[in-house]
Amino acid sequence: TGGAASSSSSSEGGSLSTYKELCALATDLGQPDLIYKFMDLAHHQQALNTRRGAAFGFASIAKLAAGEQLAPHVAALIPKLYRYQYDPNHRIQDAMVHIWRSLIDDPKSCIDTHFSPIMAELLREMGGRLWRNRQAACAGLADLVQGRRWSELRPHLAACWTMALRCLDDIKESVRRAALSCIRGLRGLTLRLVDPLHAAPSDAAEAVAVVLPLLLSDKGLGSSATEVRAVCLDSLSKVCRTAGREALSPQVVPLVQAMLEGLSAMEDVRLNYIEQHAERMGLDADKLESARVSASRSTPMGETLDVCSRFCDASSLEVLVPPLCALIKRGVGLNTKVGTARFLRSLLSRASADDVRPHVPALSKALMAGARAERSGAVRKAYAGALAQVCRYASDKRAEKVVAEAAALCSDPSADQDSKYVGGLLLRELLRTSPEVFQAHAPQVLPLAFSAKMDDDAETAAVWKEVWEEGVSSEAGAVRLYASEIVGVLSEGLSSQQWSRKKACAEAVVQLTQLGQDVLGSHAERLATTLLAESSGRLWEGKEAVLGALGALSAAAAPALEPQPGHARIIAAALAACGRKKSSFRAAALKWLEAALQAFPGDYYQQVAPMLFDNIRKHTTAPPPAAAGSPAPGTSSSDAPAAAGSAAEGEEPEKPLPLVESLACVVAAFQHAGRAVAGPCTTAAAGAGAGDSAGVQAQGEELSGVLVVLLAAALPWQQRLAAVQAAQALVQRSGEVGVPPQVVGGWSLALMRGVAATAADIKIQQVRTVSLAALEVLVPAAGKLLKEQQAAGSGVLKAHQAAVGSTLAAVQAVLDSDKAAAIVAAAGRVKGLLAELHGGPVSMDA
């Protein structure tokens, strides 16, 4: 540092005398006696004040001493004079150029003759103590190497690059600028030397063997200086693009390793920090990863790797595969890992199958382990894509093993969410990259995808859904083709210990009933038996899906379920599920029960009605508040632990069953009232004869009484709407089975007022439309009863006509308040029917 400071002052202020400079030169010549001649110059003020004057004085002395006196020392003087011509001080530079011209008659020939001594002088001073000497040496070296042949540069090229890179990290800015200019010249020279079009192949290979290891070393890419790394990276990229296959092939392995590691090492460390804190900053980590990976592709390292992949052959693969596997397993950094996978895919896409096949086991093992261990989405996807590329060259046995491992990541009982996602990702990339390999194992993969696409995790479900949709040409056709395999996977999943998998398989059963209803016959028994076993027992999150699957299966395959497990067993299991305390579970059980009652042909009314009516009546009476901490009614203190256990299972305090669903179940059961419980499935009309009317009449009596109470109660509109629909179904079904008209008419008269009030009170078009449609069924049935009473002169006729009058008033209120065309038309029809009943003789045509 002190030397640099003194040199600086000498260049700026001229503190070193011309006398000292000339003495140094005389000493270098080995002629100390010339010092006395120089001392005579001290009497001349101009020579003492300027180095230029001293230099001219030395030139005159040199001319006087030319010939015999200087001839033996010219070789030692020329390297220093050459360097002084590039001195940063312009006065010294001009003076030394004058001396050079005075001493040297043919500069080009002289430089060629003394090339090695000049090179040695420049390289030595590039590492010297004085900054002006380092700067002058850089500038001189840039000119010296121009146009040189490999034979001249072979001993010096490595040292030239080494010292130029060292000066690029100099403390002095002017030295760094001179070094940068020198490196540009060296780079151009190197590109010419490695170009097979401008150099002999052997010379180009030697030049590449010298330059590439140096640029990849700690002095180049491994340097701590940003400027040095940038220059080396740019030079490497250009050398690789210029050099031919023969010259570059021996250097591919270290070059690829350095480039892959450099993808992360040379990335801005701030990006890694941002990704680690992306959530706190409100950024999408996946999008940030994708942006980083995309940016790394356009760097010189990415371009160099692409060049290297084109130059690799069978011998290169032998050496490259072990370090690539090591990078896959232990690489550091997002870009390095993704870049390794991307390079591998590019390499394999250009290689022949015979060259790749010996390395398939090692690569597939490393990629599978890497994909399972990684947590980065971008790295997982890259590894999966590379593994799919490897499978294109794998033997049937190896490909089968890879597919089995990927499938096991999802089907294994201990599989977690990450494993399921990775398994789907691997199979999706295999489908896209190697479709022929995937199709060979489709019977193993697609049935698993059918259930896995229902997973709770959206990302996992999405990737498996892509496997299913891209792997089949027609969903319905695939379900028919793989029905046995799909049922096997679903049955296994329903019996697993993972709640999420049970739920996904149950939802898949629902879709199976929609897509493959025609193939359920031979498999419905197995699915139903498994689902029934899962419907009981401990409650778990999402168990409602099991009940939904049972409902869909009951509706889609009722005939197949009659032998085993049997319709009665299914109805009993549904009723048992309705008795659980968790609200959502009970609602799902009611939907299952409704679907089963609608699909099964037998009469299960007496089996389901008591429980359903008991719960329906609870909606019309307010339950007494329970004391805090007291046991539920009917529960002894000894039952408290069991109740606590139920609460621990997620069950809620007992409430009435949902009214809407309960009424739907009652209606469904009533539609089949009077039919045989056992026997072959029949049509809806079969069994609906007069012989059934007595039983239906007794059941209808109870149902009508409950509906009258519900229609008079202050209930939400959804519940009143359900009661209206039940009233219409009651009258229609009773008429079909031959219940006496006077009985049906009595029920209709009792229900009309509540239905009409519902239409008038609730200003919702759906409610009014359904209520008016129900009145169009109820009013004619009531008219038959009124006709008989009028003919018989019954005493209750007047009271019944009063009920008709109140109903007519409610319908008129609807006409006055609602001007919708559909409502006005329906209300007009009902008003006409009621007017005939209220004001004149009853017309049966009405």
Side-chain angles (χ1 to χ4, degrees):
T1 305
S6 62
S7 298
S8 176
S9 62
S10 68
S11 64
E12 298 296 331
S15 59
L16 293 179
S17 65
T18 305
Y19 169 73
K20 184 177 179 180
E21 296 285 341
L22 294 176
C23 287
L25 283 175
T27 302
D28 290 338
L29 285 173
Q31 296 291 324
D33 55 319
L34 292 179
I35 295 176
Y36 298 103
K37 298 181 182 290
F38 298 154
M39 290 177 64
D40 293 337
L41 299 175
H43 298 287
H44 302 280
Q45 186 66 31
Q46 183 178 4
L48 290 174
N49 291 339
T50 67
R51 295 177 185 172
R52 180 183 177 89
F56 280 120
F58 177 77
S60 62
I61 294 172
K63 285 183 177 181
L64 293 175
E68 295 179 359
Q69 188 175 7
L70 287 180
H73 309 288
V74 169
L77 183 61
I78 285 176
K80 294 187 177 295
L81 285 177
Y82 183 86
R83 172 175 57 79
Y84 269 117
Q85 293 180 88
Y86 299 93
D87 196 276
N89 189 305
H90 293 294
R91 291 176 295 176
I92 294 180
Q93 187 181 122
D94 291 345
M96 295 306 173
V97 168
H98 182 76
I99 295 174
W100 174 267
R101 290 173 180 173
S102 299
L103 288 178
I104 307 301
D105 295 329
D106 186 0
K108 183 179 184 305
S109 175
C110 180
I111 292 174
D112 292 341
T113 303
H114 299 87
F115 178 79
S116 293
I118 293 174
M119 178 66 75
E121 169 71 14
L122 295 178
L123 293 175
R124 183 176 64 253
E125 290 301 332
M126 287 176 76
R129 184 175 62 87
L130 301 179
W131 71 264
R132 65 184 183 87
N133 289 354
R134 298 195 297 271
Q135 182 174 334
C138 288
L141 182 64
D143 282 351
L144 181 65
V145 298
Q146 294 301 315
R148 298 293 168 180
R149 297 181 301 276
W150 173 243
S151 58
E152 298 175 283
L153 288 171
R154 181 184 290 110
H156 310 292
L157 186 59
C160 290
W161 271 103
T162 300
M163 298 310 299
L165 294 174
R166 177 178 174 180
C167 289
L168 188 59
D169 192 24
D170 199 274
I171 192 173
K172 182 72 173 173
E173 183 180 359
S174 60
V175 177
R176 295 197 298 270
R177 288 198 300 266
L180 182 59
S181 177
C182 177
I183 287 175
R184 287 174 182 155
L186 282 173
R187 181 174 59 198
L189 171 69
T190 303
L191 295 179
R192 178 174 60 82
L193 293 175
V194 303
D195 190 346
L197 299 178
H198 297 90
S202 58
D203 292 348
E206 285 186 49
V208 170
V210 169
V211 174
L212 280 188
L214 176 64
L215 295 178
L216 295 173
S217 68
D218 293 340
K219 301 174 184 177
L221 280 182
S223 172
S224 59
T226 304
E227 295 85 355
V228 174
R229 294 199 302 269
V231 165
C232 290
L233 181 59
D234 182 63
S235 300
L236 277 170
S237 177
K238 292 181 177 178
V239 167
C240 291
R241 288 200 299 266
T242 304
R245 177 189 295 270
E246 294 77 9
L248 197 59
S249 293
Q251 309 299 325
V252 161
V253 176
L255 180 60
V256 168
Q257 286 185 269
M259 292 294 100
L260 290 174
E261 292 173 355
L263 286 172
S264 292
M266 299 190 69
E267 186 186 35
D268 193 332
V269 295
R270 291 174 294 183
L271 290 175
N272 194 37
Y273 175 84
I274 291 173
E275 183 172 333
Q276 292 176 355
H277 299 80
E279 185 176 353
R280 184 169 56 84
M281 297 179 179
L283 301 175
D284 189 323
D286 292 337
K287 291 183 179 179
L288 184 58
E289 280 189 351
S290 300
R292 290 174 62 189
V293 171
S294 298
S296 70
R297 293 180 181 177
S298 58
T299 61
M301 289 175 287
E303 297 172 359
T304 303
L305 288 168
D306 185 63
V307 172
C308 291
S309 68
R310 296 200 301 266
F311 289 166
C312 289
D313 51 20
S315 59
S316 301
L317 279 175
E318 288 284 348
V319 187
L320 264 178
V321 167
L324 287 178
C325 290
L327 281 175
I328 291 170
K329 296 176 182 177
R330 296 180 290 275
V332 178
L334 170 70
N335 290 335
T336 293
K337 295 177 181 179
V338 175
T340 301
R342 188 170 65 244
F343 173 77
L344 185 58
R345 292 191 70 172
S346 177
L347 182 64
L348 296 181
S349 66
R350 294 184 172 99
S352 66
D354 293 336
D355 293 341
V356 176
R357 195 167 287 116
H359 310 292
V360 167
L363 290 172
S364 61
K365 184 177 179 180
L367 288 167
M368 178 66 77
R372 296 178 64 174
E374 276 297 328
R375 291 296 176 266
S376 165
V379 177
R380 283 175 172 174
K381 185 176 180 181
Y383 282 179
L387 180 58
Q389 188 74 29
V390 170
C391 286
R392 295 186 64 180
Y393 307 97
S395 62
D396 293 342
K397 185 176 180 180
R398 173 60 60 177
E400 182 180 358
K401 183 177 180 181
V402 171
V403 172
E405 288 185 22
L409 290 176
C410 180
S411 60
D412 191 270
S414 60
D416 57 11
Q417 205 63 56
D418 276 340
S419 298
K420 293 178 184 179
Y421 173 75
V422 171
L425 187 63
L426 290 170
L427 293 171
R428 185 193 69 182
E429 294 303 317
L430 180 65
L431 170 60
R432 293 176 176 177
T433 305
S434 307
E436 66 285 350
V437 177
F438 180 90
Q439 291 301 328
H441 301 87
Q444 183 181 356
V445 175
L446 291 177
L448 182 62
F450 185 79
S451 64
K453 65 188 178 71
M454 300 295 181
D455 197 89
D456 279 344
D457 182 72
E459 193 174 14
T460 302
V463 71
W464 279 103
K465 185 177 181 181
E466 290 175 348
V467 173
W468 170 257
E469 292 180 347
E470 296 177 20
V472 302
S473 56
S474 166
E475 287 192 279
V479 167
R480 296 187 188 95
L481 182 61
Y482 303 115
S484 299
E485 292 85 353
I486 290 174
V487 171
V489 170
L490 295 181
S491 298
E492 181 184 352
L494 288 168
S495 303
S496 72
Q497 299 301 315
Q498 291 183 328
W499 296 348
S500 60
R501 190 178 177 196
K502 289 175 182 283
K503 180 183 177 183
C505 289
E507 293 175 349
V509 170
V510 176
Q511 189 172 27
L512 181 63
T513 61
Q514 298 169 354
L515 294 173
Q517 188 171 354
D518 53 340
V519 298
L520 280 176
S522 57
H523 306 291
E525 177 185 336
R526 181 181 180 184
L527 288 173
T529 303
T530 306
L531 288 167
L532 283 174
E534 291 299 324
S535 66
S536 58
R538 181 182 177 183
L539 295 181
W540 40 266
E541 188 67 29
K543 191 171 182 177
E544 293 82 359
V546 174
L547 307 188
L550 280 165
L553 191 61
S554 299
L561 299 177
E562 187 172 2
Q564 285 293 335
H567 293 170
R569 179 184 170 189
I570 295 175
I571 295 295
L575 287 173
C578 292
R580 305 299 289 269
K581 294 182 179 180
K582 188 177 180 182
S583 297
S584 59
F585 191 80
R586 300 171 79 188
L590 285 172
K591 292 181 180 178
W592 167 25
L593 180 60
E594 179 188 0
L597 290 171
Q598 289 176 346
F600 298 165
D603 181 1
Y604 299 96
Y605 187 87
Q606 294 297 339
Q607 188 176 348
V608 302
M611 183 199 71
L612 293 174
F613 280 134
D614 182 55
N615 280 275
I616 289 172
R617 291 187 182 97
K618 291 179 181 179
H619 286 274
T620 59
T621 57
S630 62
T635 304
S636 64
S637 59
S638 62
D639 295 332
S646 296
E649 292 180 8
E651 296 186 348
E652 303 167 0
E654 186 174 2
K655 298 178 181 178
L657 292 174
L659 180 57
V660 174
E661 289 81 359
S662 297
L663 284 172
C665 289
V666 170
V667 171
F670 189 75
Q671 294 291 349
H672 294 274
R675 296 178 183 172
V677 174
C681 295
T682 57
T683 61
D692 304 322
S693 61
V696 175
Q697 179 177 342
Q699 296 161 0
E701 195 71 43
E702 182 181 20
L703 177 56
S704 65
V706 171
L707 293 177
V708 169
V709 175
L710 289 176
L711 290 171
L715 298 175
W717 70 268
Q718 297 94 335
Q719 297 179 356
R720 294 184 69 176
L721 177 62
V724 169
Q725 292 171 326
Q728 180 179 350
L730 167 65
V731 173
Q732 288 176 329
R733 172 62 180 163
S734 300
E736 291 173 358
V737 299
V739 175
Q742 60 271 23
V743 175
V744 179
W747 297 343
S748 300
L749 280 171
L751 294 169
M752 279 195 317
R753 186 179 299 176
V755 173
T758 300
D761 296 343
I762 301 176
K763 298 179 179 179
I764 297 176
Q765 188 170 12
Q766 179 188 1
V767 176
R768 288 184 167 176
T769 301
V770 173
S771 298
L772 293 171
L775 286 174
E776 290 189 69
V777 174
L778 297 177
V779 171
K784 296 177 182 180
L785 174 62
L786 291 178
K787 178 187 177 184
E788 292 181 4
Q789 290 178 348
Q790 186 179 19
S794 174
V796 296
L797 178 61
K798 186 175 182 180
H800 288 170
Q801 287 183 338
V804 173
S806 63
T807 303
L808 181 60
V811 173
Q812 183 61 49
V814 173
L815 281 170
D816 294 339
S817 61
D818 198 329
K819 301 302 181 183
I823 301 298
V824 169
R829 291 193 300 269
V830 174
K831 180 181 178 182
L833 295 173
L834 289 170
E836 292 182 9
L837 296 182
H838 186 258
V842 179
S843 171
M844 292 307 298
D845 294 336

